[in-house]
Amino acid sequence: MDWVDYLIRSVVAVVVFAAILGTCTLLVWFERRGAAWMQVRVGPNKAGPFGLLQTVADAVKLLTKEVFVPDSADPLVYRIAPLLSLLPAFLALTIVPFGPGFHIGDRYVPMQIADLNIGILWLLCMSSIAVYGYILAGWSSGSKYPLLGAVRQSAQVISYELVMSLAIIPVVIWAGTLSTSGIVEAQSRYHWYVVPLIVPAIAFFVSGIAETNRPPFDLVEAESELVAGAITEYGGVRFMMFFLAEYTNIITISAITTTLFLGGWNGPILFGTIAGWSVVPLWGLFWFLLKTGVLLFVFIWVRVSLPRLRYDQLMTFGWKIMIGVNVAVVLAVSFVIALMEQGALPMFWAPPGR
Amino acid sequence: MTQTHHSRARVIPPSVLRPVTQTDEGSQEMMRPGETNVVAVRRQRGIITNADFDELLDAPEDETMIINMGPQHPSTHGVLRLMVELDGEEVLRVQPVVGYLHTGMEKTAEDLMFIQGSTNVTRMDYLAPMTNELCFSLAVERLLGVEVPPRAAAIRVLMCELNRISSHMIWFATSGMDLGATTVMIHGLREREKILNFFEKTTGLRMNHDYIRPGGVAADLPDGWERDVADILDVLPPRIAESRELLDDNPIFQRRTQGVGELTREEALALGVTGPMLRASGVKWDLRKAFPYSGYDQYEFDVPTWDTCDVWGRYMVRMAEIGESVRICRQVLDSMPRGDYRVQDKKVTPPPRRRIDESMEALIHHFKLFTEGFKVPEGETYVAIESPRGELGCYLVADGGSKAYRQHTRGPCFVHVHALPAMMVGGLVADAIVTIAAADPVLGEVDR
Amino acid sequence: MAAVGIARGLGVTLRNLFRRKVTTQYPDAIRPKPVRFHGRHVLNRYEDGMEKCIGCELCAGVCPARCIYVRGADNPPDSPVSPGERFGYVYEINFLRCIFCGLCVEACPTEAITMSNLFEWSFTDRKDAIFGKDLLLVEADGTPRHKGSPYFDPESLRESGGWMRATSPSGDGDYVGVGGWSSDAGYGVRPGEAGQRAIVDAPETTAEDHA
């Protein structure tokens, strides 16, 4: 690695960061228009072409609002909480491989900010830190509804963090690596992991919805119950940070689900990839964005269709069903892999490198 | 400059500085169990039947939180304020506080002629304005001793039943919203819109119509009303059936509503709960059947009941009632009589516009009616009808003049709001929201 | 079973995606107003330009919101404002109080006050909410005066007084569709609704020429 490589990495990071901000803007528009269409409404269509600039207008409004701290709030924590929510959201995205790397001359350009060999652990780590944003926001606001929201957040996150980890373990066992790019590589050779691991795939996505506090698991905000939950007392740019973090998290969850279960940037051939399909890096990026986009649509689709769960029902669902099922799956997968390695089972769905 | 600014700070005289408990707002504070009496705690815990209240006063004090739900809260359906004592998320005590929308309508009624009265009462339960007008008009008519023509009665039934559908649709919409099912809300409002459009065509207004008046209805049904009503009756049931697909089989919806906000038959009767809430507790009681008014006995319809006593039951009863209303509307559509639609009594109803120019007598009647109104014989009466929410009663005292001496409305929502503690205590915050939604309170009518 | 329930809900929203949307794109698209629409009041004129208002104050008397202020005055003999003895010298409606119930329209014996289709107006000062004769009185050709709106549909101004015509039989079945209202400047006698039966007399013959 010399300075040119560092420069390349920096450029990639800046491009991804800018793209995420742009995608968030688009996603908010997409959600509002999509939700409206699914509710036989029209949605925002006045600001800019097709209302595309509506989010920009909203952002300008939020940015120009007064920045305040409520009297009863803990001033320091109140200020830190939004940052604590937003930063991990961005950091979690660094491990997502958006496409296959490519060469310019003899320089390798990865389409991923950081290809960590512990990529999945990094994701879990960041999503654990991010929840402190909401918890501290609710606690520091010095108000009762945010406090209830914070309590809900801590309980909800602990349970669904566990589900999420358990849903990832089969993938890791199957791929034999913690690196996200390694997992995508593994899927390009044989099959997408959604095929053998459909149950963890669903579990991961559902717990992802819960982690991002999206309906029907939006108990932390739960407008009709807790006004705006943990972020009731926030306004202006601080509110915008939470908002941005939420949408970044949605993108992260969709992108990671794509990476772990839907073959990442691999083309749509489930069993083995046709040689040359994924060689062109932009082609890989296209498939990645398409799959992520479909998952984003599912986020919105689920949101408009389902009523919200109750707090205790969410816990029951998480602890009694999701965790139980996933523990069983982890055991089963371990058993199958062990049998394969012992030669007791054909290596039909064999993990690579084994 | 800063100095002068500070020196202009308002000095509050000591006589105004009272402890917060003595102010109007503060006297409604929810006290800790140890600081208040058994009766209040019993009421707040929604205990109807005789229970041992020795333990009521020593509830855990340190671990509970008293929280204000409302008057500004997204799902208290207006300006209902509930003070709720929570243990974690569990509701321990509830104290509803009403009056935030108090506009003195009952007092206003004493200053309005009977001929103007409908404009006032229609604003009480603003989601079911027709039933308010009908209730008031029936009371005035009973004191006057007049019988409205059959066409007027049929129009009233038609409008009230359409209003029942629209009211239940907005209930469907808002309770869906409270559950987080946003599509349900848009669907409900879309269906309601269709009925409001017909109301607008008939009365010129979408709400607060002043259409049903003492003596009949203000105007005949508009041209092409048969087509409009038939269209509503054809289009709405399949659409509602589709909207129900979003909820009926949905396990989340079932678990959010079944066994939530329970009100037993005995409790419901003791609290004076009426309407769909009572019928969901298994009591087959409908004033349209029990004391038929406005010709309801001519129409065939059933009184749907449910025996689960919970929010799910209230949902099922209301949905079934929409079907019954459609049935009634179809019968009205087929059997609408022709002829007068206001009682033809010169002392009550102004003359037709054409007669004003033809007859001096008519002109005099016209002038007298619109300035002095009509006089109502001395007496008092109570008329109750089945509004979409329950028993809507109008108690009217006349002193022989053209204005009411006293007009009191017995609103079902007022009673239901005070039944909330019995339903909410023991549930979670989320259940509380669903329970409020299922009670379908309209604060305009609670506070009047 | 549970999955089926959720899938049905998802199906409804997916179907909605391809349905015609129900939102009216106001102000780009304007919903047609029903004939009886209760819009802003106008003070009408006869076809010769005379004002219909005779200053009798029936409207003010019946108004439940007490938002109408009327003062009558004797017509100047050389240049009468209205056909009768007196005319509405002052006529003010406070639109912050008005509830648009339409009782004034029903009370007016000369059809002077009716309701138009105007509803788009605003004010930034409470005083501006009190509309005087300068705004309420129609132009000599019968066009309602209004402050204008880029979205306003001028055609809909032709629809006026529907509530007055709808209530004119006053519940008497024999008078349904009979008419009884005077002609308006620029529009003649407006047709009423057919109601329970077709209009018996042609509108022209029922017109009473007050002027």
Side-chain angles (χ1 to χ4, degrees), chain B residues 138-197:
Chain B
L138 287 174
V140 176
E141 282 154 16
R142 188 179 287 178
L143 284 179
L144 277 172
V146 298
E147 187 80 24
V148 297
R151 186 174 174 88
I155 293 176
R156 286 173 170 190
V157 170
L158 177 70
M159 297 306 257
C160 283
E161 290 310 313
L162 286 176
N163 205 163
R164 191 182 311 277
I165 300 174
S166 81
S167 175
H168 282 348
M169 268 350 276
I170 205 163
W171 170 81
F172 182 65
T174 52
S175 38
M177 190 73 195
D178 287 344
L179 280 161
T182 45
T183 306
V184 171
M185 184 192 76
I186 302 291
H187 279 207
L189 292 178
R190 177 186 68 183
E191 268 67 285
R192 176 179 184 248
E193 189 69 15
K194 213 163 167 54
I195 294 173
L196 288 201
N197 279 343

Side-chain angles (χ1 to χ4, degrees), chain B residues 150-151 154-155 157-158 221 225-231 233-234 298-300 325-338:
Chain B
R151 186 174 174 88
I155 293 176
V157 170
L158 177 70
L221 291 166
W225 69 273
E226 297 97 336
R227 213 174 40 244
D228 294 334
V229 173
D231 183 41
L233 300 182
D234 288 341
Q298 302 165 22
Y299 306 109
E300 262 182 44
S325 291
V326 168
R327 239 175 109 189
I328 298 174
C329 287
R330 283 204 191 282
Q331 294 172 50
V332 177
L333 191 59
D334 295 339
S335 66
M336 177 63 77
R338 299 165 77 88

Side-chain angles (χ1 to χ4, degrees), chain A residues 112-130:
Chain A
Q112 181 176 10
I113 297 174
D115 187 5
L116 303 177
N117 53 4
I118 50 150
I120 291 301
L121 285 185
W122 174 259
L123 168 82
L124 291 172
C125 167
M126 282 305 133
S127 69
S128 307
I129 293 177

Side-chain angles (χ1 to χ4, degrees), chain A residues 35 38-41 144-145 147-149 152 215-216 219 223-228 303-313, chain B residues 65-69 73-75 86 88-89 177-183 186 190 246 250 252-253 255-256 260 428 430-431 433:
Chain A
M38 284 189 250
Q39 299 177 339
V40 286
R41 294 184 290 124
K144 288 173 181 173
Y145 284 107
L147 189 63
L148 282 174
R152 284 182 176 192
L219 303 176
E223 192 210 336
S224 59
E225 293 158 28
L226 301 182
V227 190
R303 180 200 162 154
V304 295
S305 305
L306 301 182
R308 183 186 302 120
L309 270 84
R310 203 171 62 196
Y311 177 63
D312 59 326
Q313 291 164 353
Chain B
M65 175 163 79
I66 291 178
I67 193 165
N68 258 317
M69 207 175 262
H73 187 280
S75 45
L86 297 177
E89 290 238 355
M177 190 73 195
D178 287 344
L179 280 161
T182 45
T183 306
I186 302 291
R190 177 186 68 183
L246 284 162
N250 191 312
I252 302 177
F253 179 72
R255 290 192 184 123
R256 284 299 303 274
V260 168
L428 300 180
D431 294 335
I433 301 300

Side-chain angles (χ1 to χ4, degrees), chain B residues 109-316:
Chain B
E110 295 170 18
D111 204 33
L112 290 178
M113 296 181 295
F114 291 108
I115 197 168
Q116 303 167 322
S118 282
T119 62
N120 181 44
V121 292
T122 190
R123 283 166 164 72
M124 288 176 178
D125 181 351
Y126 43 78
L127 296 182
M130 290 294 180
T131 44
N132 287 278
E133 295 171 14
L134 177 60
C135 187
F136 173 78
S137 301
L138 287 174
V140 176
E141 282 154 16
R142 188 179 287 178
L143 284 179
L144 277 172
V146 298
E147 187 80 24
V148 297
R151 186 174 174 88
I155 293 176
R156 286 173 170 190
V157 170
L158 177 70
M159 297 306 257
C160 283
E161 290 310 313
L162 286 176
N163 205 163
R164 191 182 311 277
I165 300 174
S166 81
S167 175
H168 282 348
M169 268 350 276
I170 205 163
W171 170 81
F172 182 65
T174 52
S175 38
M177 190 73 195
D178 287 344
L179 280 161
T182 45
T183 306
V184 171
M185 184 192 76
I186 302 291
H187 279 207
L189 292 178
R190 177 186 68 183
E191 268 67 285
R192 176 179 184 248
E193 189 69 15
K194 213 163 167 54
I195 294 173
L196 288 201
N197 279 343
F198 176 68
F199 282 175
E200 190 184 23
K201 194 176 174 188
T202 309
T203 72
L205 290 165
R206 297 163 61 77
M207 309 168 75
N208 305 334
H209 310 283
D210 184 27
Y211 180 68
I212 299 175
R213 311 246 180 100
V217 293
D220 205 351
L221 291 166
D223 289 354
W225 69 273
E226 297 97 336
R227 213 174 40 244
D228 294 334
V229 173
D231 183 41
I232 291 172
L233 300 182
D234 288 341
V235 169
L236 285 201
R239 276 199 192 167
I240 292 169
E242 195 196 19
S243 302
R244 289 182 65 175
E245 282 185 28
L246 284 162
L247 297 181
D248 277 13
D249 295 339
N250 191 312
I252 302 177
F253 179 72
Q254 289 172 356
R255 290 192 184 123
R256 284 299 303 274
T257 52
Q258 287 172 353
V260 168
E262 284 189 337
L263 193 68
T264 62
R265 182 192 160 95
E266 287 70 32
E267 283 175 330
L269 289 171
L271 283 163
V273 164
T274 49
M277 299 257 289
L278 182 65
R279 292 194 279 275
S281 293
V283 184
K284 197 164 185 165
W285 176 255
D286 189 320
L287 290 168
R288 291 175 294 175
K289 284 275 190 204
F291 302 103
Y293 52 90
S294 198
Y296 265 109
D297 42 356
Q298 302 165 22
Y299 306 109
E300 262 182 44
F301 63 99
D302 296 328
V303 180
T305 57
W306 207 263
D307 54 5
T308 51
C309 309
D310 56 5
V311 174
W312 172 259
R314 286 159 214 157
Y315 168 77
M316 294 313 262

